[in-house]
Amino acid sequence: MTAPDLLVVGAGITGLSSAFHIKEENPDLEITIIDRAPTFAQGNTAKSAAGFRDLFTSDINFRLSNSTIAYYRDIQQKNGYDLGMKFAGYLFLLGENDKRAETLRKLSSKTALKFYDKSDMSEDEFLVLDQNDEQSRIMGLKNIDVGILGENCGIIDPDLVCNFYYNRLIEMGVEFKFNTNVEKLNMTPVNPLNYPGEPFLWQDKTVSSLTTNSGEITAAEFLFATDVWTTGLLDPLGIDSHIRPKKRQIFQVTGGQIQDMVSQSPYTDSKIYPFTILPSRGVYLRPAPKEKSFWVGVADDIGRDFSFSENPEPEDDFYNLSLYQIAQSYVPSVRSGKVTSKWAGYYSYNTIDKTPYIFRSLNLIISTGTSGSGILKGDAIGRVTASVYDRSEKTKLYNGLEVETEKLGVEGRNIDKESIIL
Ligand SMILES: Cc1cc2nc3c(=O)[nH]c(=O)nc-3n(C[C@H](O)[C@H](O)[C@H](O)COP(=O)(O)OP(=O)(O)OC[C@H]3O[C@@H](n4cnc5c(N)ncnc54)[C@H](O)[C@@H]3O)c2cc1C
């Protein structure tokens, strides 16, 4: 393999979208994308709940998500490329004094929201609004008093989104090399003297090559779109990736009344029940209309450790004793279903502001820290990464809004903490 100008490590949504936008801006640039998996989109991109929303409290997250949704929508509606995108809505079910109601209300100046009071909600035959029984009291479950529906929200198929970028990249002449695992980054002096032990403190440093299972690969610059694996790759060089992994699990529940529930909606014309966030502990039900199922999940925080394993396993007890108990109390249809599939992956968390990190260090560009929303921000993250590559101060997004590129970096970072994490 001849040395490309840019070697992208990671063929998930971040690597693909970033390479696509870099190549669009720099058509003559030689780009190669490598991944240790046998094909693209096999990492956390494949584990996603694949919901999309532009309901975020920090302005930058709104910009990134709103732009990405607009882009995906046009690819599907104008270009006729099916991304499995369905505007089923995101339905937040909230108790009377839930502060999130006010937070969400404020977003109505930016995006389409519908509000439902308790009497409206009582018309939804699938929900139990009042949590009066003994079990609900023990769990401290809140009643449903309010419903807030985000209309510019729904579900998507990450595999189809990645397929879109992959095909475009192939057409543009970008090379892919799969089954290629990066084992080590080789740091060398910019001006080598060929003394043993280089690089010394007083020498400027660069990453000249990567050691992989298929030999050494050199390039002028490297883009790491390696999600939770970024830390393990950069730590030996003393470069901080600023992220921590948290395990996330999804349980697909099928059968009984779920089949009827998932394929109708009192809230939108989509004939798909919305992506629903229950009032307690952030438990969500993501409709999976093709499988006539709901995917039940949660972004649990304290109590869920930061450990990391290559093959995270979903925990049956976590479903049976935690998720199921809350879900069945609000949505009795869940009682008639069975777990027909389950999986686990990781959020690559920026633990401070829950917003991606996209920055340069040496001749590396690092794009990580998607914090659980890397699909729904995927296109915009690619655009910002292309700006970091080009050293552009501003990134023009697809929706016409701008982002100051440095704000997503490390040195010039200036971002409000995101409070809607699902
Ligand atoms: C359970 C769950 C639910 C989620 N729900 C949503 C949601 O509803 N909406 C949403 O937008 N996002 C969601 N996410 C988050 C989303 O999946 C991620 O933000 C996104 O997939 C990150 O994409 P990525 O390309 O950065 O990472 P990945 O898809 O993980 O890609 C990283 C790639 O790097 C490769 N790699 C790693 N190390 C090496 C190495 N040493 N050598 C070569 N290749 C390497 C991997 O093989 C992988 O393909 C969810 C995630 C999980 C786990």
Side-chain angles (χ1 to χ4, degrees), residues 9-10 12-14 35-36 43-45 47-51 180-182 225-227 229 233 248 250 345-347 370 372-376:
V9 186
I13 182 73
T14 305
D35 201 294
R36 61 186 187 172
N44 284 308
T45 296
K47 310 286 183 72
S48 170
T180 307
N181 182 45
V182 175
T226 38
D227 202 55
W229 293 276
L233 287 162
R248 297 288 170 241
I250 296 200
Y346 287 98
Y347 281 6
T370 50
S373 45
I375 310 291
L376 65 89

PDB file of all heavy atoms in Angstrom, residues 9-10 12-14 35-36 43-45 47-51 180-182 225-227 229 233 248 250 345-347 370 372-376, ligand 1:
ATOM      1  N   VAL A   9      -8.503   5.872  10.809  1.00  0.00           N
ATOM      2  CA  VAL A   9      -8.673   4.627  11.554  1.00  0.00           C
ATOM      3  C   VAL A   9     -10.084   4.631  12.132  1.00  0.00           C
ATOM      4  O   VAL A   9     -10.439   5.528  12.906  1.00  0.00           O
ATOM      5  CB  VAL A   9      -7.637   4.494  12.695  1.00  0.00           C
ATOM      6  CG1 VAL A   9      -7.752   3.116  13.346  1.00  0.00           C
ATOM      7  CG2 VAL A   9      -6.236   4.749  12.191  1.00  0.00           C
ATOM      8  N   GLY A  10     -10.896   3.644  11.742  1.00  0.00           N
ATOM      9  CA  GLY A  10     -12.269   3.548  12.239  1.00  0.00           C
ATOM     10  C   GLY A  10     -13.271   3.820  11.133  1.00  0.00           C
ATOM     11  O   GLY A  10     -13.322   4.922  10.585  1.00  0.00           O
ATOM     12  N   GLY A  12     -16.650   3.510  11.439  1.00  0.00           N
ATOM     13  CA  GLY A  12     -18.004   3.716  11.960  1.00  0.00           C
ATOM     14  C   GLY A  12     -18.552   4.998  11.355  1.00  0.00           C
ATOM     15  O   GLY A  12     -17.947   5.587  10.444  1.00  0.00           O
ATOM     16  N   ILE A  13     -19.667   5.454  11.881  1.00  0.00           N
ATOM     17  CA  ILE A  13     -20.286   6.669  11.324  1.00  0.00           C
ATOM     18  C   ILE A  13     -19.315   7.857  11.358  1.00  0.00           C
ATOM     19  O   ILE A  13     -19.247   8.642  10.400  1.00  0.00           O
ATOM     20  CB  ILE A  13     -21.614   7.002  12.068  1.00  0.00           C
ATOM     21  CG1 ILE A  13     -22.309   8.225  11.476  1.00  0.00           C
ATOM     22  CG2 ILE A  13     -21.401   7.234  13.545  1.00  0.00           C
ATOM     23  CD1 ILE A  13     -22.944   8.002  10.172  1.00  0.00           C
ATOM     24  N   THR A  14     -18.522   7.982  12.435  1.00  0.00           N
ATOM     25  CA  THR A  14     -17.637   9.147  12.561  1.00  0.00           C
ATOM     26  C   THR A  14     -16.552   9.123  11.495  1.00  0.00           C
ATOM     27  O   THR A  14     -16.310  10.133  10.822  1.00  0.00           O
ATOM     28  CB  THR A  14     -16.997   9.186  13.974  1.00  0.00           C
ATOM     29  OG1 THR A  14     -18.047   9.158  14.943  1.00  0.00           O
ATOM     30  CG2 THR A  14     -16.147  10.412  14.182  1.00  0.00           C
ATOM     31  N   ASP A  35     -10.037  -0.464   9.235  1.00  0.00           N
ATOM     32  CA  ASP A  35     -10.798  -0.889  10.423  1.00  0.00           C
ATOM     33  C   ASP A  35     -10.416  -2.338  10.707  1.00  0.00           C
ATOM     34  O   ASP A  35     -10.139  -3.114   9.789  1.00  0.00           O
ATOM     35  CB  ASP A  35     -12.306  -0.775  10.194  1.00  0.00           C
ATOM     36  CG  ASP A  35     -13.074  -0.712  11.519  1.00  0.00           C
ATOM     37  OD1 ASP A  35     -13.067  -1.722  12.277  1.00  0.00           O
ATOM     38  OD2 ASP A  35     -13.675   0.342  11.803  1.00  0.00           O
ATOM     39  N   ARG A  36     -10.436  -2.671  11.960  1.00  0.00           N
ATOM     40  CA  ARG A  36     -10.073  -4.045  12.310  1.00  0.00           C
ATOM     41  C   ARG A  36     -11.208  -5.022  12.004  1.00  0.00           C
ATOM     42  O   ARG A  36     -10.994  -6.230  11.918  1.00  0.00           O
ATOM     43  CB  ARG A  36      -9.698  -4.129  13.777  1.00  0.00           C
ATOM     44  CG  ARG A  36     -10.822  -3.742  14.683  1.00  0.00           C
ATOM     45  CD  ARG A  36     -10.334  -3.719  16.089  1.00  0.00           C
ATOM     46  NE  ARG A  36     -11.431  -3.511  16.997  1.00  0.00           N
ATOM     47  CZ  ARG A  36     -11.331  -3.598  18.302  1.00  0.00           C
ATOM     48  NH1 ARG A  36     -10.164  -3.889  18.840  1.00  0.00           N
ATOM     49  NH2 ARG A  36     -12.350  -3.398  19.070  1.00  0.00           N
ATOM     50  N   GLY A  43     -18.711  -1.411  14.887  1.00  0.00           N
ATOM     51  CA  GLY A  43     -18.414  -1.051  16.276  1.00  0.00           C
ATOM     52  C   GLY A  43     -19.678  -0.596  16.985  1.00  0.00           C
ATOM     53  O   GLY A  43     -20.757  -1.179  16.803  1.00  0.00           O
ATOM     54  N   ASN A  44     -19.589   0.480  17.755  1.00  0.00           N
ATOM     55  CA  ASN A  44     -20.771   0.949  18.487  1.00  0.00           C
ATOM     56  C   ASN A  44     -21.863   1.466  17.563  1.00  0.00           C
ATOM     57  O   ASN A  44     -23.029   1.522  17.956  1.00  0.00           O
ATOM     58  CB  ASN A  44     -20.365   1.983  19.538  1.00  0.00           C
ATOM     59  CG  ASN A  44     -19.728   1.282  20.718  1.00  0.00           C
ATOM     60  OD1 ASN A  44     -20.295   0.345  21.280  1.00  0.00           O
ATOM     61  ND2 ASN A  44     -18.510   1.675  21.060  1.00  0.00           N
ATOM     62  N   THR A  45     -21.488   1.812  16.352  1.00  0.00           N
ATOM     63  CA  THR A  45     -22.499   2.216  15.360  1.00  0.00           C
ATOM     64  C   THR A  45     -23.534   1.101  15.178  1.00  0.00           C
ATOM     65  O   THR A  45     -24.711   1.377  14.968  1.00  0.00           O
ATOM     66  CB  THR A  45     -21.791   2.575  14.031  1.00  0.00           C
ATOM     67  OG1 THR A  45     -20.953   3.710  14.272  1.00  0.00           O
ATOM     68  CG2 THR A  45     -22.765   2.897  12.921  1.00  0.00           C
ATOM     69  N   LYS A  47     -24.448  -0.931  17.468  1.00  0.00           N
ATOM     70  CA  LYS A  47     -25.120  -1.234  18.744  1.00  0.00           C
ATOM     71  C   LYS A  47     -26.175  -0.194  19.100  1.00  0.00           C
ATOM     72  O   LYS A  47     -26.860  -0.302  20.109  1.00  0.00           O
ATOM     73  CB  LYS A  47     -24.080  -1.268  19.880  1.00  0.00           C
ATOM     74  CG  LYS A  47     -22.858  -2.128  19.627  1.00  0.00           C
ATOM     75  CD  LYS A  47     -23.209  -3.590  19.742  1.00  0.00           C
ATOM     76  CE  LYS A  47     -22.018  -4.511  19.576  1.00  0.00           C
ATOM     77  NZ  LYS A  47     -21.072  -4.519  20.672  1.00  0.00           N
ATOM     78  N   SER A  48     -26.261   0.827  18.280  1.00  0.00           N
ATOM     79  CA  SER A  48     -27.054   2.000  18.622  1.00  0.00           C
ATOM     80  C   SER A  48     -28.547   1.711  18.744  1.00  0.00           C
ATOM     81  O   SER A  48     -29.071   0.816  18.075  1.00  0.00           O
ATOM     82  CB  SER A  48     -26.827   3.038  17.531  1.00  0.00           C
ATOM     83  OG  SER A  48     -27.698   4.095  17.657  1.00  0.00           O
ATOM     84  N   ALA A  49     -29.227   2.534  19.548  1.00  0.00           N
ATOM     85  CA  ALA A  49     -30.695   2.492  19.571  1.00  0.00           C
ATOM     86  C   ALA A  49     -31.238   3.205  18.335  1.00  0.00           C
ATOM     87  O   ALA A  49     -32.428   3.120  18.031  1.00  0.00           O
ATOM     88  CB  ALA A  49     -31.230   3.163  20.826  1.00  0.00           C
ATOM     89  N   ALA A  50     -30.360   3.946  17.672  1.00  0.00           N
ATOM     90  CA  ALA A  50     -30.679   4.557  16.376  1.00  0.00           C
ATOM     91  C   ALA A  50     -31.922   5.426  16.415  1.00  0.00           C
ATOM     92  O   ALA A  50     -32.785   5.358  15.554  1.00  0.00           O
ATOM     93  CB  ALA A  50     -30.798   3.484  15.306  1.00  0.00           C
ATOM     94  N   GLY A  51     -31.978   6.239  17.449  1.00  0.00           N
ATOM     95  CA  GLY A  51     -32.995   7.281  17.477  1.00  0.00           C
ATOM     96  C   GLY A  51     -32.342   8.577  17.041  1.00  0.00           C
ATOM     97  O   GLY A  51     -31.128   8.737  17.162  1.00  0.00           O
ATOM     98  N   THR A 180      -7.869  -4.893   9.600  1.00  0.00           N
ATOM     99  CA  THR A 180      -6.572  -4.284   9.866  1.00  0.00           C
ATOM    100  C   THR A 180      -6.600  -3.619  11.241  1.00  0.00           C
ATOM    101  O   THR A 180      -7.219  -2.563  11.421  1.00  0.00           O
ATOM    102  CB  THR A 180      -6.245  -3.239   8.762  1.00  0.00           C
ATOM    103  OG1 THR A 180      -6.374  -3.889   7.499  1.00  0.00           O
ATOM    104  CG2 THR A 180      -4.854  -2.677   8.912  1.00  0.00           C
ATOM    105  N   ASN A 181      -5.970  -4.257  12.182  1.00  0.00           N
ATOM    106  CA  ASN A 181      -6.020  -3.800  13.574  1.00  0.00           C
ATOM    107  C   ASN A 181      -4.778  -2.980  13.912  1.00  0.00           C
ATOM    108  O   ASN A 181      -3.653  -3.458  13.750  1.00  0.00           O
ATOM    109  CB  ASN A 181      -6.094  -5.036  14.494  1.00  0.00           C
ATOM    110  CG  ASN A 181      -6.201  -4.641  15.952  1.00  0.00           C
ATOM    111  OD1 ASN A 181      -6.966  -3.755  16.306  1.00  0.00           O
ATOM    112  ND2 ASN A 181      -5.413  -5.291  16.800  1.00  0.00           N
ATOM    113  N   VAL A 182      -5.002  -1.763  14.382  1.00  0.00           N
ATOM    114  CA  VAL A 182      -3.863  -0.934  14.804  1.00  0.00           C
ATOM    115  C   VAL A 182      -3.418  -1.405  16.179  1.00  0.00           C
ATOM    116  O   VAL A 182      -4.204  -1.422  17.131  1.00  0.00           O
ATOM    117  CB  VAL A 182      -4.244   0.562  14.855  1.00  0.00           C
ATOM    118  CG1 VAL A 182      -3.099   1.393  15.411  1.00  0.00           C
ATOM    119  CG2 VAL A 182      -4.651   1.044  13.472  1.00  0.00           C
ATOM    120  N   ALA A 225     -10.913   7.879  14.471  1.00  0.00           N
ATOM    121  CA  ALA A 225     -12.368   7.895  14.688  1.00  0.00           C
ATOM    122  C   ALA A 225     -12.696   6.565  15.349  1.00  0.00           C
ATOM    123  O   ALA A 225     -13.499   5.778  14.867  1.00  0.00           O
ATOM    124  CB  ALA A 225     -13.088   8.066  13.365  1.00  0.00           C
ATOM    125  N   THR A 226     -12.037   6.334  16.459  1.00  0.00           N
ATOM    126  CA  THR A 226     -12.015   5.008  17.080  1.00  0.00           C
ATOM    127  C   THR A 226     -12.825   4.946  18.386  1.00  0.00           C
ATOM    128  O   THR A 226     -12.625   4.022  19.189  1.00  0.00           O
ATOM    129  CB  THR A 226     -10.557   4.570  17.337  1.00  0.00           C
ATOM    130  OG1 THR A 226      -9.795   5.705  17.756  1.00  0.00           O
ATOM    131  CG2 THR A 226      -9.927   3.991  16.104  1.00  0.00           C
ATOM    132  N   ASP A 227     -13.711   5.931  18.579  1.00  0.00           N
ATOM    133  CA  ASP A 227     -14.688   5.852  19.661  1.00  0.00           C
ATOM    134  C   ASP A 227     -14.038   5.470  20.995  1.00  0.00           C
ATOM    135  O   ASP A 227     -13.010   6.042  21.358  1.00  0.00           O
ATOM    136  CB  ASP A 227     -15.785   4.861  19.235  1.00  0.00           C
ATOM    137  CG  ASP A 227     -17.101   5.053  19.983  1.00  0.00           C
ATOM    138  OD1 ASP A 227     -17.632   6.161  19.967  1.00  0.00           O
ATOM    139  OD2 ASP A 227     -17.582   4.070  20.580  1.00  0.00           O
ATOM    140  N   TRP A 229     -12.227   3.095  21.826  1.00  0.00           N
ATOM    141  CA  TRP A 229     -10.897   2.482  21.717  1.00  0.00           C
ATOM    142  C   TRP A 229      -9.785   3.539  21.613  1.00  0.00           C
ATOM    143  O   TRP A 229      -8.607   3.220  21.665  1.00  0.00           O
ATOM    144  CB  TRP A 229     -10.833   1.547  20.499  1.00  0.00           C
ATOM    145  CG  TRP A 229     -11.719   0.355  20.663  1.00  0.00           C
ATOM    146  CD1 TRP A 229     -11.430  -0.808  21.305  1.00  0.00           C
ATOM    147  CD2 TRP A 229     -13.076   0.214  20.199  1.00  0.00           C
ATOM    148  NE1 TRP A 229     -12.512  -1.670  21.273  1.00  0.00           N
ATOM    149  CE2 TRP A 229     -13.531  -1.069  20.597  1.00  0.00           C
ATOM    150  CE3 TRP A 229     -13.950   1.031  19.492  1.00  0.00           C
ATOM    151  CZ2 TRP A 229     -14.818  -1.532  20.308  1.00  0.00           C
ATOM    152  CZ3 TRP A 229     -15.224   0.574  19.208  1.00  0.00           C
ATOM    153  CH2 TRP A 229     -15.647  -0.696  19.611  1.00  0.00           C
ATOM    154  N   LEU A 233      -5.444   3.515  22.440  1.00  0.00           N
ATOM    155  CA  LEU A 233      -4.476   3.766  21.366  1.00  0.00           C
ATOM    156  C   LEU A 233      -3.586   4.970  21.678  1.00  0.00           C
ATOM    157  O   LEU A 233      -2.384   4.961  21.378  1.00  0.00           O
ATOM    158  CB  LEU A 233      -5.215   3.992  20.039  1.00  0.00           C
ATOM    159  CG  LEU A 233      -5.832   2.727  19.432  1.00  0.00           C
ATOM    160  CD1 LEU A 233      -6.892   3.073  18.382  1.00  0.00           C
ATOM    161  CD2 LEU A 233      -4.745   1.841  18.814  1.00  0.00           C
ATOM    162  N   ARG A 248     -23.737   0.325  27.685  1.00  0.00           N
ATOM    163  CA  ARG A 248     -25.152   0.584  27.393  1.00  0.00           C
ATOM    164  C   ARG A 248     -25.774  -0.674  26.820  1.00  0.00           C
ATOM    165  O   ARG A 248     -25.151  -1.349  25.990  1.00  0.00           O
ATOM    166  CB  ARG A 248     -25.277   1.724  26.371  1.00  0.00           C
ATOM    167  CG  ARG A 248     -24.741   3.060  26.883  1.00  0.00           C
ATOM    168  CD  ARG A 248     -25.683   3.602  27.916  1.00  0.00           C
ATOM    169  NE  ARG A 248     -25.202   4.742  28.657  1.00  0.00           N
ATOM    170  CZ  ARG A 248     -25.033   4.744  29.976  1.00  0.00           C
ATOM    171  NH1 ARG A 248     -25.226   3.659  30.689  1.00  0.00           N
ATOM    172  NH2 ARG A 248     -24.673   5.842  30.599  1.00  0.00           N
ATOM    173  N   ILE A 250     -29.330  -2.895  25.314  1.00  0.00           N
ATOM    174  CA  ILE A 250     -30.659  -2.820  24.696  1.00  0.00           C
ATOM    175  C   ILE A 250     -31.296  -4.210  24.705  1.00  0.00           C
ATOM    176  O   ILE A 250     -30.625  -5.208  24.388  1.00  0.00           O
ATOM    177  CB  ILE A 250     -30.574  -2.270  23.268  1.00  0.00           C
ATOM    178  CG1 ILE A 250     -30.069  -0.830  23.354  1.00  0.00           C
ATOM    179  CG2 ILE A 250     -31.925  -2.356  22.552  1.00  0.00           C
ATOM    180  CD1 ILE A 250     -30.316   0.052  22.221  1.00  0.00           C
ATOM    181  N   GLY A 345     -23.185  -2.290  24.153  1.00  0.00           N
ATOM    182  CA  GLY A 345     -22.042  -1.560  23.581  1.00  0.00           C
ATOM    183  C   GLY A 345     -21.627  -0.497  24.568  1.00  0.00           C
ATOM    184  O   GLY A 345     -21.894  -0.627  25.767  1.00  0.00           O
ATOM    185  N   TYR A 346     -20.966   0.539  24.067  1.00  0.00           N
ATOM    186  CA  TYR A 346     -20.492   1.607  24.957  1.00  0.00           C
ATOM    187  C   TYR A 346     -20.837   2.981  24.407  1.00  0.00           C
ATOM    188  O   TYR A 346     -20.827   3.183  23.193  1.00  0.00           O
ATOM    189  CB  TYR A 346     -18.964   1.535  25.108  1.00  0.00           C
ATOM    190  CG  TYR A 346     -18.517   0.381  25.958  1.00  0.00           C
ATOM    191  CD1 TYR A 346     -18.081  -0.804  25.376  1.00  0.00           C
ATOM    192  CD2 TYR A 346     -18.551   0.464  27.348  1.00  0.00           C
ATOM    193  CE1 TYR A 346     -17.694  -1.878  26.159  1.00  0.00           C
ATOM    194  CE2 TYR A 346     -18.165  -0.608  28.132  1.00  0.00           C
ATOM    195  CZ  TYR A 346     -17.733  -1.777  27.538  1.00  0.00           C
ATOM    196  OH  TYR A 346     -17.363  -2.827  28.318  1.00  0.00           O
ATOM    197  N   TYR A 347     -21.102   3.902  25.319  1.00  0.00           N
ATOM    198  CA  TYR A 347     -21.042   5.323  24.966  1.00  0.00           C
ATOM    199  C   TYR A 347     -19.603   5.753  25.209  1.00  0.00           C
ATOM    200  O   TYR A 347     -19.016   5.396  26.238  1.00  0.00           O
ATOM    201  CB  TYR A 347     -21.923   6.172  25.889  1.00  0.00           C
ATOM    202  CG  TYR A 347     -23.403   6.172  25.604  1.00  0.00           C
ATOM    203  CD1 TYR A 347     -23.968   5.349  24.636  1.00  0.00           C
ATOM    204  CD2 TYR A 347     -24.249   7.032  26.313  1.00  0.00           C
ATOM    205  CE1 TYR A 347     -25.336   5.374  24.400  1.00  0.00           C
ATOM    206  CE2 TYR A 347     -25.614   7.057  26.075  1.00  0.00           C
ATOM    207  CZ  TYR A 347     -26.159   6.224  25.127  1.00  0.00           C
ATOM    208  OH  TYR A 347     -27.509   6.257  24.910  1.00  0.00           O
ATOM    209  N   THR A 370     -18.600  10.952  21.371  1.00  0.00           N
ATOM    210  CA  THR A 370     -19.946  11.233  20.845  1.00  0.00           C
ATOM    211  C   THR A 370     -21.030  11.141  21.927  1.00  0.00           C
ATOM    212  O   THR A 370     -22.162  11.571  21.705  1.00  0.00           O
ATOM    213  CB  THR A 370     -20.279  10.280  19.683  1.00  0.00           C
ATOM    214  OG1 THR A 370     -19.997   8.939  20.092  1.00  0.00           O
ATOM    215  CG2 THR A 370     -19.461  10.602  18.454  1.00  0.00           C
ATOM    216  N   GLY A 372     -23.139   9.144  23.189  1.00  0.00           N
ATOM    217  CA  GLY A 372     -24.460   8.533  23.022  1.00  0.00           C
ATOM    218  C   GLY A 372     -25.310   9.147  21.940  1.00  0.00           C
ATOM    219  O   GLY A 372     -26.487   8.813  21.815  1.00  0.00           O
ATOM    220  N   SER A 373     -24.734  10.037  21.133  1.00  0.00           N
ATOM    221  CA  SER A 373     -25.554  10.611  20.051  1.00  0.00           C
ATOM    222  C   SER A 373     -24.737  10.819  18.772  1.00  0.00           C
ATOM    223  O   SER A 373     -24.908  11.816  18.074  1.00  0.00           O
ATOM    224  CB  SER A 373     -26.231  11.898  20.514  1.00  0.00           C
ATOM    225  OG  SER A 373     -25.348  12.727  21.216  1.00  0.00           O
ATOM    226  N   GLY A 374     -23.899   9.858  18.490  1.00  0.00           N
ATOM    227  CA  GLY A 374     -23.006   9.973  17.333  1.00  0.00           C
ATOM    228  C   GLY A 374     -23.656   9.682  15.995  1.00  0.00           C
ATOM    229  O   GLY A 374     -23.139  10.107  14.958  1.00  0.00           O
ATOM    230  N   ILE A 375     -24.790   8.988  16.002  1.00  0.00           N
ATOM    231  CA  ILE A 375     -25.473   8.745  14.726  1.00  0.00           C
ATOM    232  C   ILE A 375     -26.232  10.013  14.350  1.00  0.00           C
ATOM    233  O   ILE A 375     -26.122  10.520  13.233  1.00  0.00           O
ATOM    234  CB  ILE A 375     -26.487   7.567  14.837  1.00  0.00           C
ATOM    235  CG1 ILE A 375     -25.864   6.332  15.468  1.00  0.00           C
ATOM    236  CG2 ILE A 375     -27.158   7.291  13.502  1.00  0.00           C
ATOM    237  CD1 ILE A 375     -24.844   5.617  14.663  1.00  0.00           C
ATOM    238  N   LEU A 376     -26.985  10.523  15.311  1.00  0.00           N
ATOM    239  CA  LEU A 376     -27.860  11.657  15.015  1.00  0.00           C
ATOM    240  C   LEU A 376     -27.088  12.953  14.826  1.00  0.00           C
ATOM    241  O   LEU A 376     -27.651  13.949  14.374  1.00  0.00           O
ATOM    242  CB  LEU A 376     -28.939  11.792  16.102  1.00  0.00           C
ATOM    243  CG  LEU A 376     -28.517  12.145  17.524  1.00  0.00           C
ATOM    244  CD1 LEU A 376     -28.482  13.652  17.734  1.00  0.00           C
ATOM    245  CD2 LEU A 376     -29.466  11.523  18.521  1.00  0.00           C
TER     246      LEU A 376
HETATM  247  C1  LIG B   1     -26.756   0.903  23.333  1.00  0.00           C
HETATM  248  C2  LIG B   1     -26.429   2.147  22.567  1.00  0.00           C
HETATM  249  C3  LIG B   1     -27.467   2.981  22.175  1.00  0.00           C
HETATM  250  C4  LIG B   1     -27.189   4.130  21.416  1.00  0.00           C
HETATM  251  N1  LIG B   1     -28.225   4.901  20.972  1.00  0.00           N
HETATM  252  C5  LIG B   1     -27.994   5.955  20.132  1.00  0.00           C
HETATM  253  C6  LIG B   1     -29.066   6.687  19.546  1.00  0.00           C
HETATM  254  O1  LIG B   1     -30.248   6.394  19.778  1.00  0.00           O
HETATM  255  N2  LIG B   1     -28.754   7.706  18.700  1.00  0.00           N
HETATM  256  C7  LIG B   1     -27.468   8.048  18.409  1.00  0.00           C
HETATM  257  O2  LIG B   1     -27.257   8.996  17.650  1.00  0.00           O
HETATM  258  N3  LIG B   1     -26.435   7.369  18.953  1.00  0.00           N
HETATM  259  C8  LIG B   1     -26.664   6.337  19.803  1.00  0.00           C
HETATM  260  N4  LIG B   1     -25.628   5.628  20.345  1.00  0.00           N
HETATM  261  C9  LIG B   1     -24.263   6.128  20.162  1.00  0.00           C
HETATM  262  C10 LIG B   1     -23.723   5.806  18.804  1.00  0.00           C
HETATM  263  O3  LIG B   1     -23.874   4.431  18.540  1.00  0.00           O
HETATM  264  C11 LIG B   1     -22.261   6.226  18.769  1.00  0.00           C
HETATM  265  O4  LIG B   1     -22.176   7.588  19.163  1.00  0.00           O
HETATM  266  C12 LIG B   1     -21.650   6.089  17.400  1.00  0.00           C
HETATM  267  O5  LIG B   1     -21.926   4.834  16.852  1.00  0.00           O
HETATM  268  C13 LIG B   1     -20.148   6.309  17.472  1.00  0.00           C
HETATM  269  O6  LIG B   1     -19.645   6.096  16.175  1.00  0.00           O
HETATM  270  P1  LIG B   1     -18.089   5.996  15.925  1.00  0.00           P
HETATM  271  O7  LIG B   1     -17.894   5.850  14.469  1.00  0.00           O
HETATM  272  O8  LIG B   1     -17.430   7.135  16.618  1.00  0.00           O
HETATM  273  O9  LIG B   1     -17.659   4.685  16.715  1.00  0.00           O
HETATM  274  P2  LIG B   1     -17.716   3.149  16.274  1.00  0.00           P
HETATM  275  O10 LIG B   1     -18.915   2.839  15.479  1.00  0.00           O
HETATM  276  O11 LIG B   1     -17.503   2.343  17.505  1.00  0.00           O
HETATM  277  O12 LIG B   1     -16.477   3.040  15.307  1.00  0.00           O
HETATM  278  C14 LIG B   1     -15.154   2.937  15.772  1.00  0.00           C
HETATM  279  C15 LIG B   1     -14.439   1.989  14.840  1.00  0.00           C
HETATM  280  O13 LIG B   1     -13.073   1.947  15.189  1.00  0.00           O
HETATM  281  C16 LIG B   1     -12.622   0.641  14.946  1.00  0.00           C
HETATM  282  N5  LIG B   1     -11.409   0.402  15.738  1.00  0.00           N
HETATM  283  C17 LIG B   1     -11.281   0.533  17.070  1.00  0.00           C
HETATM  284  N6  LIG B   1     -10.041   0.236  17.456  1.00  0.00           N
HETATM  285  C18 LIG B   1      -9.343  -0.090  16.340  1.00  0.00           C
HETATM  286  C19 LIG B   1      -8.007  -0.489  16.087  1.00  0.00           C
HETATM  287  N7  LIG B   1      -7.130  -0.643  17.081  1.00  0.00           N
HETATM  288  N8  LIG B   1      -7.643  -0.743  14.806  1.00  0.00           N
HETATM  289  C20 LIG B   1      -8.528  -0.604  13.783  1.00  0.00           C
HETATM  290  N9  LIG B   1      -9.817  -0.243  13.970  1.00  0.00           N
HETATM  291  C21 LIG B   1     -10.214   0.031  15.229  1.00  0.00           C
HETATM  292  C22 LIG B   1     -13.771  -0.244  15.406  1.00  0.00           C
HETATM  293  O14 LIG B   1     -13.709  -1.529  14.829  1.00  0.00           O
HETATM  294  C23 LIG B   1     -14.984   0.562  14.944  1.00  0.00           C
HETATM  295  O15 LIG B   1     -15.469   0.152  13.682  1.00  0.00           O
HETATM  296  C24 LIG B   1     -25.851   4.479  21.091  1.00  0.00           C
HETATM  297  C25 LIG B   1     -24.811   3.628  21.489  1.00  0.00           C
HETATM  298  C26 LIG B   1     -25.086   2.484  22.217  1.00  0.00           C
HETATM  299  C27 LIG B   1     -23.966   1.589  22.622  1.00  0.00           C
END
